[in-house]
Amino acid sequence: MSFFRKLFGCNKKKIKGQSSSQSTEVDTLKKLRSTEQLLREKREVLETNIKKEQATVKKNVIKNKQVALNALNRKNRYKKRLSRNDSMLSTVIEQQSALESANTHNIVVDVIRSTSYAVEMANRNVNIEDIHDIIDDIATSQDLTQEISEAICIPIRSEIDEDEEELQKELERLELEKLNEQETNIDLALTTNYIMPVVPTFVPT
């Protein structure tokens, strides 16, 4: 809460001055736009009068030259007034555009200034040493997590090693049985295929 008070209540006079300046700019823009509207309406009236006088000139150029001459004179006066009106209108539009651009620039500058101040106030509460301590704590926590993970995996690895030892013993036993079976088969084969000597049946004299 104190941070926002510092942020928004730091320079009340300055903010009040900015608000007054913005209010003046807004009022000026309103006046310029109102003047622009007035000049545009006046332009339409002058153009209408010029067209009317032009029509009068065409209508009376042969029948009544005096009426045509007077209408032509009024038409030229309307044209001069229209030219001055257009010049003023152009000036008002340029001033309006310039003030709008300046107002936009002021808004952008105020936003940048407020952002810079907010960043400055936020950084005041941050200590570089605290950041380093936080980073060290994170690294320590990660190392501890790794050690815990490895410690959890050790019993599982021991059981795997024991299972491999049992399998190795079983394999050796089966291999020995196979060898014994093969030796027995060889002995039987030799006994079966061995030719016994013929016993003589005659009696010696």
Side-chain angles (χ1 to χ4, degrees):
M1 188 66 180
S2 60
F3 170 74
F4 289 101
R5 287 178 180 174
K6 292 179 181 178
L7 177 60
F8 296 105
C10 57
N11 294 322
K12 293 183 178 179
K13 292 182 179 180
K14 186 175 182 180
I15 293 174
K16 185 177 180 180
Q18 291 176 352
S19 177
S20 177
S21 176
Q22 291 176 354
S23 177
T24 302
E25 292 173 357
V26 171
D27 293 338
T28 304
L29 280 174
K30 288 181 179 180
K31 291 179 181 179
L32 285 172
R33 289 169 182 167
S34 177
T35 304
E36 178 188 356
Q37 183 64 27
L38 179 64
L39 291 173
R40 289 186 183 278
E41 292 175 357
K42 188 175 180 181
R43 189 176 192 276
E44 292 178 357
V45 172
L46 290 172
E47 287 178 344
T48 301
N49 291 335
I50 290 171
K51 290 178 181 179
K52 287 181 179 180
E53 298 301 334
Q54 181 67 26
T56 303
V57 171
K58 288 182 179 181
K59 183 178 180 180
N60 296 283
V61 66
I62 295 176
K63 295 179 180 181
N64 193 340
K65 290 186 177 181
Q66 186 62 40
V67 173
L69 184 62
N70 292 334
L72 185 61
N73 189 19
R74 290 192 298 271
K75 173 189 170 184
N76 290 335
R77 289 201 301 269
Y78 286 142
K79 279 189 173 182
K80 290 180 181 179
R81 291 170 62 182
L82 179 62
S83 178
R84 292 195 297 269
N85 186 84
D86 288 343
S87 297
M88 289 187 291
L89 180 60
S90 178
T91 301
V92 169
I93 292 174
E94 289 179 358
Q95 293 297 318
Q96 181 179 340
S97 177
L99 184 57
E100 287 176 348
S101 297
N103 190 27
T104 302
H105 295 161
N106 290 334
I107 292 173
V108 172
V109 171
D110 290 340
V111 170
I112 293 174
R113 185 184 293 112
S114 300
T115 303
S116 177
Y117 182 76
V119 171
E120 181 182 356
M121 293 301 298
N123 289 334
R124 286 182 182 179
N125 298 325
V126 178
N127 190 350
I128 300 298
E129 294 181 357
D130 294 338
I131 294 176
H132 289 305
D133 293 338
I134 292 172
I135 293 174
D136 292 338
D137 293 339
I138 293 172
T140 303
S141 298
Q142 291 177 346
D143 293 338
L144 180 60
T145 302
Q146 183 66 24
E147 292 177 1
I148 293 172
S149 178
E150 293 177 355
I152 292 173
C153 293
I154 288 175
I156 299 175
R157 187 63 193 173
S158 299
E159 293 177 1
I160 293 174
D161 292 340
E162 291 177 359
D163 292 340
E164 289 180 353
E165 291 178 1
E166 292 293 331
L167 292 174
Q168 188 67 28
K169 290 179 181 181
E170 181 69 17
L171 182 63
E172 292 176 356
R173 186 179 63 79
L174 294 173
E175 184 180 3
L176 183 59
E177 290 180 358
K178 186 66 176 178
L179 291 174
N180 292 334
E181 183 180 351
Q182 290 178 355
E183 290 178 358
T184 303
N185 291 335
I186 292 172
D187 293 340
L188 291 174
L190 291 176
T191 304
T192 304
N193 297 329
Y194 179 74
I195 302 174
M196 299 295 294
V198 179
V199 178
T201 58
F202 66 91
V203 177
T205 57

